[in-house]
């Protein structure tokens, strides 16, 4: 930083040293996540749960086990009987082997299903009142599925001390089940002692600061 060249006033580094020396050590607080925006972390933060918390569909479509489509060709298509239904909020139950399930974005995958085809790509036929999902080629396993813990696993280190809690961090912490956040109390004007030897002129810290919160 440039020095001011004015003997009556300290240069930047000296001024900073004076202010730093007059500041008390930072105070740690635990605040609810909703009050953490803009603060600085005071400790390591760990994911409190897996994110996603369960295997979920990333698309509206049909869930099935990709294995069941392995033999599909244009000449010998594979037809999976459409059963049940999985909507967001439903619990997961065991799939009938070889069946396909209508599923919505965010819904839990049926146990035993590992792949989702979107409604747009799905070819559905009906025979004698039963609907079938038809494949003319094998489907890639894992497509359109968000796996439990793929963003963060419970216990994963999410933030280290001294990091600014941004809006993005708030969203991530909420997803990871973190509800209370260790932060440093924001400095307030009352945190600083008056500076009494400022080139002989009693002064206070020369800039306005927010009150402690
Ligand atoms: N077969 C396909 N599936 C999906 C596709 C696709 O192209 N084909 N796109 C995927 C993508 S990308 C996304 S993103 C998701 C979107 O699904 P969501 O369920 O997340 O979103 P919506 O259907 O729009 O539902 C949102 C729902 O929330 C209501 N809303 C909006 N704001 C608020 C608020 N502040 N508080 C409460 N509720 C709110 C809104 O009215 C809607 O009802 O789909 C993939 N799947
Ligand atoms: O419309 Mo989306 O791309 O997952 O947010």
């Amino acid at each position: 930083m440039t020095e001011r060249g004015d003997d009556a006033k300290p240069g930047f580094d000296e001024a900073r040293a004076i202010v730093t020396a007059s500041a008390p050590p930072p105070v740690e607080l635990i605040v609810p996540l909703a009050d953490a925006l803009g603060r600085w972390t005071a400790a390591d933060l760990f994911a409190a749960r897996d994110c996603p918390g369960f295997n979920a569909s990333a698309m509206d479509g049909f869930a099935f086990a990709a294995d069941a489509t392995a033999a599909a060709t244009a000449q010998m298509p594979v037809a999976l009987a459409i059963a049940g239904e999985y909507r967001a909020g439903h619990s997961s139950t065991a799939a009938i082997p070889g069946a396909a399930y209508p599923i919505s974005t965010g819904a839990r995958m049926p146990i035993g299903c590992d792949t989702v085809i979107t409604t747009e790509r799905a070819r559905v036929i009906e025979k004698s009142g039963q609907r079938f999902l038809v494949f003319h080629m094998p489907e890639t396993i894992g497509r359109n599925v968000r796996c439990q813990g793929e963003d963060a696993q419970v216990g994963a280190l999410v933030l280290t001390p001294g990091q600014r809690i941004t809006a993005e961090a708030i969203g991530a912490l909420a997803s990871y089940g973190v509800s209370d956040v260790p932060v440093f109390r924001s400095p307030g004007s009352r945190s600083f002692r008056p500076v009494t030897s400022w080139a002989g002129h009693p002064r206070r810290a020369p800039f306005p600061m927010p009150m402690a919160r």
Side-chain angles (χ1 to χ4, degrees):
M1 290 299 278
T2 49
E3 299 294 315
R4 301 182 70 165
D6 176 350
D7 288 345
K9 293 174 183 167
F12 176 81
D13 290 339
E14 191 191 344
R16 183 167 60 181
I18 292 168
V19 172
T20 305
S22 77
V27 177
E28 284 186 37
L29 303 172
I30 305 280
V31 296
L33 183 60
D35 293 338
L37 183 65
R39 293 177 179 275
W40 299 82
T41 52
D44 284 338
L45 278 175
F46 301 95
R49 63 171 177 237
D50 287 343
C51 180
F54 45 84
N55 294 342
S57 177
M59 292 287 179
D60 295 338
F62 296 87
F64 53 93
D67 256 9
T69 69
T73 63
Q75 291 73 34
M76 294 282 287
V78 164
L80 308 183
I82 296 175
E85 202 173 52
Y86 282 80
R87 298 302 173 206
H90 285 191
S91 54
S92 195
T93 53
I96 300 163
Y101 295 82
I103 194 162
S104 17
T105 304
R108 281 176 191 266
M109 291 289 286
I111 297 161
C113 293
D114 51 28
T115 306
V116 167
I117 188 166
T118 59
T119 317
E120 299 89 314
R121 285 187 59 236
R123 301 184 62 161
V124 176
I125 58 164
E126 193 170 331
K127 261 189 191 166
S128 317
Q130 170 67 54
R131 296 200 309 149
F132 294 89
L133 183 62
V134 180
F135 292 87
H136 290 92
M137 61 165 105
E139 190 62 30
T140 309
I141 187 170
R143 201 160 178 189
N144 299 321
V145 175
R146 287 195 279 255
C147 290
Q148 177 167 353
E150 76 176 31
D151 289 347
Q153 293 187 347
V154 61
L157 181 61
V158 181
L159 289 177
T160 51
Q163 288 188 270
R164 191 80 193 256
I165 301 173
T166 59
E168 292 87 342
I170 297 264
L173 292 171
S175 306
Y176 305 157
V178 176
S179 51
D180 296 311
V181 189
V183 296
F184 291 119
R185 194 176 72 188
S186 307
S189 51
R190 272 182 281 168
S191 308
F192 287 84
R193 296 194 306 276
V195 176
T196 51
S197 60
W198 199 289
H201 302 292
R203 291 264 190 95
R204 297 185 75 85
F207 44 84
M209 282 178 289
M211 300 298 286
R213 57 185 185 112

